[in-house]
Amino acid sequence: MPSILQTFLAIGTFSVAYAAVIVPGATWTDTSGNVIQAHGGGFLKSGSTYYWHGEDKVHNSGLFRAVSCYSSSDLVTWTRQNDALTPISGTSISTSNIVERPKVVFNQANSEYVMWFHSDSSNYGAAQVGVATAKAPCGPYTYRSSFQPLGAQSRDMGLFQDDDATQTTYLLYASDNNQNFKISKLDANYYNVVSQTSVISASTLESPGIIKRSGIYYLFASHTTGWDPNPNKFFTASALTGPWSAQADIAPPVTRTYFSQNTFDILVNNNFGIYMGDRWRPSLLGSSRYMWFPLTWSSGKPQIVQADLWSLNLAAGTYSVASGVTYEAESGTISGSATTLSDGSFSGGRAIGYLGNGGSITINNVQGTGAAQWVALYYANGDSTWRNTTVSVNGGSQVLVDQPNTGGGHVILSVPVKLTLRSGANSLTFGSGQSNYAADLDRIIVYTAT
Ligand SMILES: *[C@@H]1O[C@H](CO)[C@@H](O)[C@H](O)[C@H]1NC(C)=O
């Protein structure tokens, strides 16, 4: 017989269950239920608390609105705090300027938090870094200045704080019209850049992050394709001065890093780290999604672990990728103009195409638990556009799911959607009631983890 205390604990467990899994590409909400606005983010650990600083793009504009600040004890459940940095008219961080990729480090000697960010004019012509300081992780930060480090351009940037006695910190940045990638050392206060440590010439790198593991430095970065994704790379060196290895992939290149761009990378322990990326949506910037994946090392090579749902146990130092039940689209019932496509890249060699615009597919006998469940749609767009598909469960109302551009060909990506399935058998219909074409549907995976 449950005591009142047990009942209370059960409710308590239920109330935090929503945050147990990381769902790359889903709408990620904070503890108030609002969509997390922290794009191009940076992460800082202070005591046992993590802080996430990022760009608030709720206004769907590239112009500066705020550097937001969220806190968490588990990297999954995030509470929004006060904004860390807000616009100041008449300066380089006004509402008509660009403030991107904020990164914060703690200066132990000064007991001060120092934020660096890409500081620019609206046409990216100024190509500067900005610096701001605060006495608390979320600030509010006091803006110091914006400048070109060592007199050269700086656009996409990151920071790396080394583990030496004085925690020497470095600026990582795309310089010289994004042609040369540079690493430069900061002064003891972290207010300025004092000397150039490394240059990777003609490398056209953006969105950098560094992890140090067993004495090796791993640099992660994308190439320069604007808001579009590309195959992100890693480079290794045994010192920040280099020499840096040739680039290598962190994910199958056709997936273009699962349609994401690196923003930050952390090492949890020697077994794994976390790749934190942005899935940019330039036409609706505030709907850009976060793409976080485990990062594992195999023969010294860091690789993303593809996962639709995964969980993190920081206390135990482990992660777990959820498994689900797969249903092939071709096992369903075709309606209208929908048709079966054959290609070796599809699971089982087949997918269903010509969905939407009069075609639909119903997958029957999908086993549900009677609760809201994550379902991953594995799809391909034959052309280089974003598409979307309707989904309805048991003939109920239609939910619209965005299907980011897979880059043409038969490249398969997945997108998550949360659907309420009844306990037992369900019928899921894709592509009905929409006048535009949906992507080709390869399969779905139904998860029970929440
Ligand atoms: C769905 O995709 C079509 C392109 O296929 C696009 O025109 C339309 O705006 C999208 N709908 C929404 C709500 O995003």
Side-chain angles (χ1 to χ4, degrees), residues 281 386-388 400 402 436-437:
R281 192 168 186 192
W386 281 60
R387 295 194 184 186
N388 45 60
L400 197 69
D402 289 317
N436 55 298
Y437 281 114

Side-chain angles (χ1 to χ4, degrees), residues 106-436:
F106 181 61
N107 189 301
Q108 201 108 43
N110 296 343
S111 209
E112 186 176 59
Y113 295 88
V114 186
M115 178 192 293
W116 284 60
F117 52 90
H118 173 189
S119 180
D120 224 321
S121 48
S122 59
N123 66 0
Y124 291 94
Q128 297 178 325
V129 281
V131 179
T133 58
K135 287 294 176 192
C138 290
Y141 283 73
T142 304
Y143 174 56
R144 290 178 58 88
S145 65
S146 295
F147 56 91
Q148 290 195 331
L150 303 172
Q153 288 184 328
S154 175
R155 290 201 177 90
D156 264 20
M157 46 61 72
L159 290 179
F160 174 71
Q161 189 168 46
D162 212 343
D163 57 6
D164 58 322
T166 55
Q167 296 189 295
T168 310
T169 298
Y170 299 83
L171 177 67
L172 323 173
Y173 55 115
S175 191
D176 307 332
N177 232 349
N178 295 344
Q179 296 305 299
N180 302 321
F181 181 77
K182 297 178 181 171
I183 299 176
S184 292
K185 193 169 121 177
L186 306 193
D187 66 7
N189 292 327
Y190 306 160
Y191 294 164
N192 213 327
V193 167
V194 290
S195 60
Q196 198 162 287
T197 305
S198 226
V199 189
I200 307 180
S201 294
S203 54
T204 64
L205 299 176
E206 278 192 330
S207 69
I210 284 182
I211 282 177
K212 186 179 189 181
R213 178 180 178 272
S214 301
I216 304 289
Y217 296 87
Y218 294 86
L219 166 66
F220 299 90
S222 75
H223 279 284
T224 48
T225 49
W227 297 104
D228 288 337
N230 57 61
N232 287 206
K233 306 290 182 181
F234 76 89
F235 302 74
T236 62
S238 52
L240 288 171
T241 47
W244 290 92
S245 71
Q247 65 179 15
D249 287 303
I250 57 170
V254 292
T255 69
R256 299 181 299 167
T257 329
Y258 302 104
F259 199 125
S260 71
Q261 182 182 38
N262 185 64
T263 184
F264 205 85
D265 312 278
I266 64 171
L267 189 68
V268 177
N269 56 40
N270 248 31
N271 291 327
F272 78 105
I274 305 176
Y275 163 89
M276 295 150 157
D278 293 291
R279 176 174 277 180
W280 296 112
R281 192 168 186 192
S283 62
L284 213 54
L285 268 182
S287 296
S288 300
R289 301 289 176 232
Y290 311 104
M291 302 297 291
W292 293 16
F293 295 107
L295 199 54
T296 57
W297 272 259
S298 156
S299 316
K301 293 183 167 68
Q303 292 293 303
I304 284 178
V305 178
Q306 191 271 341
D308 292 320
L309 263 72
W310 61 286
S311 57
L312 191 56
N313 185 336
L314 288 173
T318 57
Y319 73 92
S320 163
V321 174
S323 56
V325 178
T326 298
Y327 299 86
E328 293 290 341
E330 63 269 24
S331 71
T333 306
I334 276 178
S335 165
S337 49
T339 181
T340 302
L341 307 174
S342 294
D343 189 285
S345 60
F346 297 132
S347 146
R350 285 182 294 166
I352 303 300
Y354 293 90
L355 295 171
N357 209 5
S360 68
I361 178 80
T362 298
I363 305 177
N364 296 303
N365 208 17
V366 174
Q367 295 299 307
T369 61
Q373 289 178 247
W374 287 107
V375 177
L377 315 186
Y378 281 72
Y379 70 96
N381 286 341
D383 55 14
S384 293
T385 61
W386 281 60
R387 295 194 184 186
N388 45 60
T389 185
T390 60
V391 189
S392 81
V393 179
N394 303 320
S397 58
Q398 280 156 354
V399 177
L400 197 69
V401 183
D402 289 317
Q403 297 173 306
N405 167 11
T406 54
H410 284 156
V411 175
I412 315 289
L413 292 179
S414 69
V415 277
V417 58
K418 207 165 204 180
L419 299 173
T420 299
L421 305 184
R422 65 177 168 228
S423 178
N426 294 264
S427 293
L428 271 56
T429 301
F430 299 88
S432 71
Q434 63 182 108
S435 54
N436 55 298

